[in-house]
């Protein structure tokens, strides 16, 4: 059974007939980016969270059921979208602003810069909402309304402001007669309770019209009764979690209404028939096993692509394996810009998938690369996932898995922490110690074990799968020039006598164990003479 091709299950959506359209060639791209959103929408069969605008976009486009981020952290993920490079390649190892201060490497270029250079300034680029990447010279949009000019809530959660700036950008594109790339990056449904708890854990009360909360004119708040909600299987089944889900759904509905406003402005501007629209999220939800993890809740992403082309697939779903690293080459493909020679780019254009479903096979893979989140969270991980199996390499496995600040203060984590300290029972599928303490290698049969509970690394019947995935992962690390590709048991030497033939030189870790430890990352290590 090990060689069986595992086909991803297609999640059905309601289909309302078929339609055809005549349209001009695609000239523009709009990316709608959520912040820490998962599958809280009707199109992905969440029967509680009300998202009519996203559901309508899915019915008019192609919904991906096997889409993944390559990194489960905000700034690195946004950098991956705009550069096409994994976080270890671009240098955006963790969060950009504040004390973290991560930036891409000086030579790294991004979509707005590339579009400007390759079109001789003809293509107009814009960003509205959360930017959270740097340095500024590497990400120069022609039109910017972000947290660098406004407070993050006003530009990322105030959907009326987002609507107004969208209109301003589209008016400029029409006035100047230029094709465009616009990134609308919502701050919803990101947590905010650790900074502004008065607005609710997810800022769900901010702008709601309640006393002291202010009002967002275009937002019609939707309140959810937490007692009726269903808890996803990877979360503790408690009332505390249900209350958090109710807050998350409320701010997700605000995001959805913002999506509707942006798409309405696109329609009124007359650009709808020549604009490709992409909806996705930067990383998984801010819950256990979610953001900052390479487990499924941390890396699986919603992805909807709606194309104006008459031969595009509509009212349809795809099981194609897709990575957010594919967004960069997809957008360049729309604008017919050839990707410059860059060995660190491993994504592919998704435009062919919009026309025809690719034949699935066991070679379909996506990769993940986590390094930091906050600057104190040094826990590098690498991952390869195909349709059947996932392999995670925890490079800092002798340390406890770190917890980021806004998740630490969340009611869900505090309940887990207090129950653990006080030795109280908790309806969760793992313990806090299991969450903290992870082995160097984790191998899961995703098809049979969606919760990733049973590590198969030591099972002899999976030795072939383990070897194959390790080889694929290491090749990807080499192809993307991963500085961590020799970690944790060896040191990369790529200078001096090793400049033309880099090697991994042993640290002798295996000699410290009795009996000898099975080598982890290589079939053998080179010992420098």
């Amino acid at each position: 059974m090990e060689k069986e091709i595992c086909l991803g299950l297609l999640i059905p959506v309601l289909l309302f007939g078929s339609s055809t359209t005549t349209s001009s060639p695609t000239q523009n791209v709009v990316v709608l980016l959520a912040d820490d959103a998962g599958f809280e929408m009707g199109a992905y069969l969440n029967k509680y969270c009300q998202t009519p605008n996203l559901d309508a976009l899915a019915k008019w486009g192609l919904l991906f059921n096997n889409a993944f981020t390559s990194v489960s952290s905000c700034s690195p993920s946004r950098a991956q979208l705009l550069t096409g490079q994994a976080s270890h390649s671009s240098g955006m190892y963790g969060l950009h602003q504040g004390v973290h201060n991560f930036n891409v490497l000086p030579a790294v270029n991004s979509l707005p810069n590339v579009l400007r250079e390759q079109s001789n300034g003809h293509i107009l680029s814009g960003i509205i909402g959360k930017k959270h990447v740097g340095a500024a010279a590497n990400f120069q949009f022609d039109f910017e309304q972000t947290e660098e000019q406004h407070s993050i809530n006003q530009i990322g959660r105030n959907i009326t402001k987002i609507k107004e700036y969208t209109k301003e950008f589209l008016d400029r594109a029409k006035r100047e007669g230029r094709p465009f790339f616009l990134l609308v990056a919502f701050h919803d449904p990101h947590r905010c309770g650790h900074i502004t708890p008065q607005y609710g854990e997810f800022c769900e009360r901010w702008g709601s019209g309640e006393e002291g909360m202010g009002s967002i004119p275009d937002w019609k708040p939707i309140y959810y009764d937490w007692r009726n909600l269903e808890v996803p299987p990877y979360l503790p089944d408690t009332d505390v979690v249900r209350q958090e889900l109710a807050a998350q759904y409320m701010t997700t509905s605000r995001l959805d209404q913002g999506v509707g406003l942006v798409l309405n402005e696109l329609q009124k501007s007359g650009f709808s028939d020549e604009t490709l629209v992409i909806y996705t999220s930067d990383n998984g939800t801010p819950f256990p096993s979610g953001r900052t993890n390479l487990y499924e809740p941390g890396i699986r992403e919603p992805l909807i692509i709606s194309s104006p082309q008459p031969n595009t697939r509509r009212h349809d779903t795809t099981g194609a394996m897709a990575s957010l690293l594919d967004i960069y080459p997809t957008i360049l493909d729309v604008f017919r810009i050839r990707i410059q020679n860059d060995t660190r780019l491993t994504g592919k254009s998704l435009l062919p998938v919009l026309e025809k479903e690719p034949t699935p096979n066991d070679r379909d893979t996506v990769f993940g690369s986590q390094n930091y989140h906050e600057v104190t969270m040094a826990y590098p991980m690498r991952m390869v996932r195909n349709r059947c199996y996932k392999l995670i390499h925890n490079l800092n496995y002798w340390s406890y898995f770190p917890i980021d600040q806004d998740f630490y203060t969340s009611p869900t984590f505090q309940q887990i922490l207090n129950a653990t300290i006080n030795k109280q029972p908790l309806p969760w599928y793992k313990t806090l110690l299991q969450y903290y303490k992870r082995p160097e290698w984790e191998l899961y049969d995703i098809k049979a074990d969606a919760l990733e509970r049973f590590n198969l690394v030591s099972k002899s019947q999976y030795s072939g799968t383990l070897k194959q995935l390790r080889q694929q992962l290491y090749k990807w690390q080499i192809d993307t020039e991963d500085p961590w590709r020799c970690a944790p048991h060896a040191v990369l030497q790529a200078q001096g006598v090793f400049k033309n033939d880099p090697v991994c030189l042993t640290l002798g870790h295996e000699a410290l164990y009795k009996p000898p430890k099975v080598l982890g990352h290589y079939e053998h290590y080179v010992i420098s003479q």
Side-chain angles (χ1 to χ4, degrees), residues 159-227:
I159 58 176
T160 297
K161 293 287 187 183
I162 291 172
K163 176 192 74 173
E164 293 169 351
Y165 285 123
T166 297
K167 182 180 186 304
E168 182 179 336
F169 175 84
L170 296 175
D171 286 346
R172 175 176 171 182
K174 179 178 289 187
R175 184 172 62 252
E176 298 177 1
R178 299 164 65 181
F180 61 81
F181 160 58
L182 174 62
L183 172 60
V184 181
F186 298 90
H187 194 32
D188 285 329
H190 195 285
R191 289 184 182 275
C192 72
H194 68 302
I195 296 177
T196 52
Q198 68 273 24
Y199 298 139
E201 183 58 31
F202 288 85
C203 272
E204 68 275 9
R205 305 291 180 178
W206 186 81
S208 64
E210 300 174 28
E211 185 177 355
M213 296 293 107
S215 179
I216 300 173
D218 289 290
W219 181 32
K220 305 299 183 291
I222 299 175
Y223 294 83
Y224 294 86
D225 187 344
W226 61 267
R227 293 166 295 186

Side-chain angles (χ1 to χ4, degrees), residues 129-130 145-158 161-162 165 187 199 206:
K130 186 175 180 179
Q145 297 293 340
T146 72
E147 74 277 5
E148 296 177 359
Q149 294 86 29
H150 310 268
S151 70
I152 185 60
N153 279 351
Q154 285 292 353
I155 198 58
R157 302 188 199 263
N158 189 331
K161 293 287 187 183
I162 291 172
Y165 285 123
H187 194 32
Y199 298 139
W206 186 81

Side-chain angles (χ1 to χ4, degrees), residues 239-250:
D239 288 347
V240 168
V241 173
R242 285 188 178 84
Q243 290 165 5
E244 286 232 80
L245 290 175
Q248 182 199 30
Y249 289 0
M250 186 172 176

